[in-house]
Each structure stands twice: as structure tokens, then as C-alpha cells.
Amino acid sequence: MNIYRANMTGTLVPAQVLEELRSRAWHEINRTGWKDAKKAWAALAS
Amino acid sequence: MGLRDVRVLLLYPPVQTAPGAVCKPNGSLAYPNLAGALRAHGVDVGIFDACVGADGDPLEEMFAKPVPMPNGFLRTGVSDERILEVVADADIVGITSIFTDHETMVLRCARLIREAYPEKILVSGGVNARSRLSRFVAAGFDAVCLSEGERTIVEIVEAVRRSPRPDFSAIHGVAFPDGDGGVRINPTRSQDVVWDLDELPMPAWDLMPNPRYWKIARPHTGTYEPGVELRYAQMMTSLGCPFHCAYCHIAGEQEGSLSGPIGKFRVKSDERVLAELDTLKGLGVQHVFIEDDSLLGQKRRGLRLLRRIQGAGVTIADVNGINILHLLKRWKPDHEVLEALAAAGFTQISLPFESGNLRILRKYASNKLNIEMADIKSLIIAMKEYGFRIYGTYMMGYPDETMEEIERTLQLARDHISWGLDAASFLIVVPLPGSPLYDMAVAGATSPRTSTRTR
């Protein structure tokens, strides 16, 4: 189970910054084909 | 006094998923293992996964149209009415709670069933449940197994056979309401732990909704083409782990803990593993996901096992990651291991890098890899030459981790991708219940209490 959200307080790098870093890193570092495969599986409300 | 016939239903709740995230059925090994133990004891047992349903439930529609929930998440699975219909003829309903992010739906199902059927016995278990006992008892659970449950569930069934209002006070490794608003805990003793894993009954994979899992084709890890049937199952050849990382529940599973020392590394015999593979193949399984926390925890045994399963006729992926240290020899790729993995049928392997900082790895990750000594570039290149699809996992947000350290980890991931790694997963460090990090967080310390002493 992937953890996307930060939930500790008092970390040296604040939670919101961590979440932005995580999201940005995933998009920046991974290849397009991998990202497209993941997006194809994403749950979206219809 | 005669004993009652007792029927057990093991229920995976519907799954809630954040919009945009991938919904995967739980399908953990807890139920094949428990159902195998119950069946070996002559108990009538069934498994229902409310995320994928059973015959007559609209599988594709459930996944195509998850239902928005008041909390903003999306629910995938059958309706509450269908769950109540399925559990109607069970005397005992078990709901596993291994994964913390499934807790909301576990507790919701418990309350639903408790309200509709006050007489049914509700049982839970798993690291999350035993770490959150008061919540689980408040939701209506009659008992929570505190350790590996194959023996405990049989004892619970025996207690229910004796009485519809069972007395669990003589069972070790279980917690239950004390009748006075609190929770009584019967700790797990060392002798309650199964040390010889070959003694465990064969898992009852045949009771799982395999065709529905195969059709939806969303195993715990790896990438597979949507819409293409994937005939997969999961198995474990060992339990426990030789490493004790602060963010992992295994570090808390030691002598004197609620669970007893189940974190200790234990292995199945080669023959037992081969028998399990045969059982899976007999069910039509073609892809096996090894869920071991440290497949090569005993490297010689691991190598021998890999050679024994060559020609098993299935492809294999490692879900939880092979400790990178075990893929190296004197910090260089260990080609003996890589060759054995390839010959055994491994196609996808996760590499848990965790951090690009030696300080972090030493402090939080059992010092399990010297990232500065290890020749990771050669390892990645070698693994690609053997044909593996490889994924790296990286964690950020350790309590006292600096921005510079996080940037170092991200640069490491960039390097790994440039050397051939197929994909990188970035996880934020979360203090999951049952882990030492959770205890620190609950105690109000955002960094380990030892930090000031070691500086």
C-alpha cells in the first residue's frame, strides 16, 4: 500500500513540503510509459 | 453437553481509495492461512472479498464506478446489503486488519454486522488490529488475535462451539472486551509461536475468488496490462526478518510484545515450498508473488531454494523487495544469486533503497545497506542484463531528516533511473501502528529518543 500523505508533526521538513516533494519527484523522475500505466489504473468517480 | 456446529466466514471489506490512486483488492495471505487451519480442523469456512464480490456481483462495474464516500474517498466493492446477506449464515465473522489504510472499512464493516446481527462473534487480527485494540473493541469485535492466528482461530472456534457466549479467558494471544468497558489482554507466549513452519496446514487458496482477482489483474506490485487476465497468487517461504527497521512492524514483534517473537526469521523447508507451488499450479496459477519480508535472509538456504524451484513452471515476482545487501558480494553484484533468481523464474523485483543517506539508513533502517560502498550502478546494469524488471523504493520524511538529505535521496533515484531502473516509488515515512516509529510518535517525540544521546 503506497503512502502518499505525511502525518507526522514536527519533522524537520514539514508535511506539506514532503507531499509536494514526493509528488514532484514521482512525476519528474519516472518515465512517461510507467506514469501512463499507473494513471490507467487510477480510481476515479464516474 | 453437545458441541454446536460453527461456520466461519472470513471477510475482506470493500476497499476505499483516494481519487486518482489505484484500487487493489486486499487478498492478503491471512485468509488462505486461517482457512487452511480451520479446514484442517474440520471447520466449515468460507472467504468473501467484498471488494471483488462473488458470482453474480458486477466485478467490472464495481471497479469502473467506485462510489464516492462522505470522507472524500472512493469505495470499490459490493453494497452493505450484500455484505449482510453473505455473512447471514456465519456464526463467526473474521475481518483481518493488516493494512492501516484499510482500517476505516474494517471498522465500518464490524459496526454494520454488529448492528444487524448482535449474536454473531466478530474476530479481527493483524498488526494494525492488535496495535489499535480499544478502537477495534469499541467497533464491536469480540476478540482480536494478537499474533499469527492459525492456532488461535481454532481455539476461538472451539470456545464458540462450547457456548454462543464464549469465554476466551483461557486462550493465549488474544484480546477481548473485559465486560467493564476495557480490554483484557492475554499475551502471546513464546511457545504459542509456530517455530516449524512446515507444521502449518496448507493454505486454502482454493477458497479465494481467484478468477475475479485474475480478471481484474491488480496484484500488490508490478505492472501488468489492464484488461489482460493475470493468473496469480501469493505465497511466503519464510516469516519474520533479520532486520529490525524503525518504520516496520517486525521490529516490534519481539519477545515480550503482544504478538510474541514472530519477528524472528523462520523458514519453510524446500519440500514444503515445492508442495505449495504444486498446489498453486493445480489451481491454474501461472504467476507467483513471493511476499517474504526477506527472501534471502539466510542466503545459502535462499540460493538452495531458488535452485530447487527452477522449472516449477511459473513466473515469480518479489513483492516486498529483496534486501539489496543480499544481491551483493563484497559490494559488487552477486552473479550467483542473480543467476539463481533468473533461473527460478523471477521476472520483477523490488529494491528497497529507503534512503540515499548512510546516517538515515544506520539510524532507522538497521544499517542494512552501506549505500556509499555498494556498487549499485553495476547491480542495476547486471539485473537488467538478466532480464528483470526492477523497481526502487525510496522513503522521505524521517523525523530528523533534512532537506539536503532528501535531495540526496532524490538524486540517487535519478541516478538509478539513468542506469536502467524501470521505476521509482517515493513513500513518505509514516509511523504505522505496531512499528517503533509509531510508539515514538504517540509518545510525542518526533525523533527517536536516542537521537540526542548518539550525537
Side-chain angles (χ1 to χ4, degrees), chain B residues 366-385:
Chain B
S366 307
N367 195 22
K368 63 181 179 180
L369 177 67
N370 188 323
I371 198 72
E372 294 174 5
M373 297 280 285
D375 185 353
I376 299 301
K377 182 176 183 179
S378 295
L379 177 66
I380 288 173
I381 291 171
M383 291 186 80
K384 293 308 297 177
E385 285 173 356

Side-chain angles (χ1 to χ4, degrees), chain A residues 22-44:
Chain A
R22 193 213 72 82
S23 177
R24 202 181 326 137
W26 189 85
H27 284 95
E28 178 225 327
I29 294 175
N30 279 300
R31 298 187 179 92
T32 303
W34 169 260
K35 288 184 280 190
D36 289 346
K38 285 289 183 183
K39 286 174 190 165
W41 278 8
L44 297 169

Side-chain angles (χ1 to χ4, degrees), chain B residues 363 400 447-455:
Chain B
K363 188 167 185 175
D400 57 350
S447 58
R449 281 165 283 189
T450 56
S451 61
T452 52
R453 289 183 226 142
T454 54
R455 274 180 195 150

Side-chain angles (χ1 to χ4, degrees), chain A residues 1-2 4 34 38 41, chain B residues 12 15 22-30 49 98-99 102 208 213 216-224 230 232-235 289-291 317-320 348 350 391 393 425:
Chain A
M1 302 303 128
N2 287 345
Y4 302 130
W34 169 260
K38 285 289 183 183
W41 278 8
Chain B
Y12 297 108
V15 169
V22 176
C23 173
K24 296 181 177 182
N26 180 331
S28 73
L29 277 166
D49 188 336
I98 299 172
F99 304 117
H102 289 185
M208 299 284 273
Y213 288 154
I216 209 72
R218 298 185 185 195
H220 286 173
T221 194
T223 48
Y224 296 91
L230 182 72
Y232 74 95
Q234 298 144 22
M235 67 176 287
F289 288 81
I290 301 285
E291 298 259 4
D318 188 271
V319 174
N320 288 337
Q348 304 195 33
S350 295
Y391 313 106
T393 54
S425 289

Side-chain angles (χ1 to χ4, degrees), chain B residues 321-396:
Chain B
I322 291 180
N323 291 117
I324 298 163
L325 183 67
H326 296 148
L327 301 174
L328 301 168
K329 190 173 186 178
R330 297 188 191 93
W331 307 115
K332 296 285 184 186
D334 187 338
H335 288 275
E336 187 182 14
V337 171
L338 297 178
E339 274 179 32
L341 286 166
F346 278 74
T347 55
Q348 304 195 33
I349 295 175
S350 295
L351 299 175
F353 290 103
E354 323 295 30
S355 173
N357 302 277
L358 206 50
R359 182 188 78 81
I360 295 288
L361 289 167
R362 284 180 172 155
K363 188 167 185 175
Y364 297 99
S366 307
N367 195 22
K368 63 181 179 180
L369 177 67
N370 188 323
I371 198 72
E372 294 174 5
M373 297 280 285
D375 185 353
I376 299 301
K377 182 176 183 179
S378 295
L379 177 66
I380 288 173
I381 291 171
M383 291 186 80
K384 293 308 297 177
E385 285 173 356
Y386 282 103
F388 301 119
R389 193 178 288 182
I390 47 176
Y391 313 106
T393 54
Y394 309 83
M395 298 167 70
M396 60 176 74

